[in-house]
Amino acid sequence: MNIVNLSTPLGLLIALTGARRMSRGPRGLVFARGYRLPIPPAPAFTVGNVILQRRGEDDIENSPDLLAHEERHTTQYAVSLGPVMILLYVLASGVSWVLCGCPACYNPYERLAGLADGGYIRHQLRRLRRRAAPAPPP
């Protein structure tokens, strides 16, 4: 589905321009290692069925929880209209940031992919601060 909705071709294009090496992974995944572009700043992220990572060569294979987390994102691309998910994800990250100061904790994409599996520490909601009303004139 991610080939048809063009998210995997987009992921491959990003990998070709920003990663040092690509290899096949399990279940139709593609690993792009040595990602060096500044956006996004995440240590690993997924576009279609392509998992891009900044860290060492074997990190994703040696971390079954992180692999499961990123693989869940591939399914999200399939049901979120492919590349449209990127915009939805950015919007959800912004809402999460406003709510708690963390772009992932209240982002439904990250929550459904498993916050702990992705290495995120859950933040509490920010308290709403009300401005004190000015005292009425005497």
Side-chain angles (χ1 to χ4, degrees):
M1 185 65 186
N2 287 337
I3 292 174
V4 173
N5 70 26
L6 302 178
S7 57
T8 295
L10 176 61
L12 291 170
L13 181 63
I14 293 168
L16 285 171
T17 59
R20 291 192 175 101
R21 196 181 103 178
M22 287 192 291
S23 64
R24 290 179 184 243
R27 297 172 295 285
L29 298 174
V30 175
F31 297 134
R33 296 176 173 90
Y35 181 76
R36 58 192 180 274
L37 299 178
I39 299 172
F45 67 99
T46 301
V47 179
N49 280 25
V50 181
I51 300 174
L52 298 106
Q53 64 180 27
R54 294 182 186 283
R55 297 187 276 183
E57 293 296 310
D58 298 326
D59 280 353
I60 200 84
E61 290 97 343
N62 292 331
S63 179
D65 293 339
L66 180 59
L67 178 58
H69 173 90
E70 296 301 334
E71 192 168 359
R72 288 181 201 116
H73 285 313
T74 67
T75 302
Q76 293 170 348
Y77 272 96
V79 298
S80 294
L81 303 175
V84 173
M85 180 182 150
I86 296 170
L87 176 61
L88 297 173
Y89 181 93
V90 169
L91 290 172
S93 293
V95 170
S96 180
W97 182 264
V98 168
L99 291 174
C100 70
C102 169
C105 293
Y106 287 90
N107 179 332
Y109 289 105
E110 291 299 344
R111 290 176 74 108
L112 290 170
L115 288 174
D117 290 344
Y120 296 106
I121 299 169
R122 180 175 247 169
H123 291 70
Q124 297 298 316
L125 287 172
R126 295 180 191 206
R127 294 179 191 249
L128 294 176
R129 295 184 186 118
R130 291 187 180 196
R131 296 174 93 183

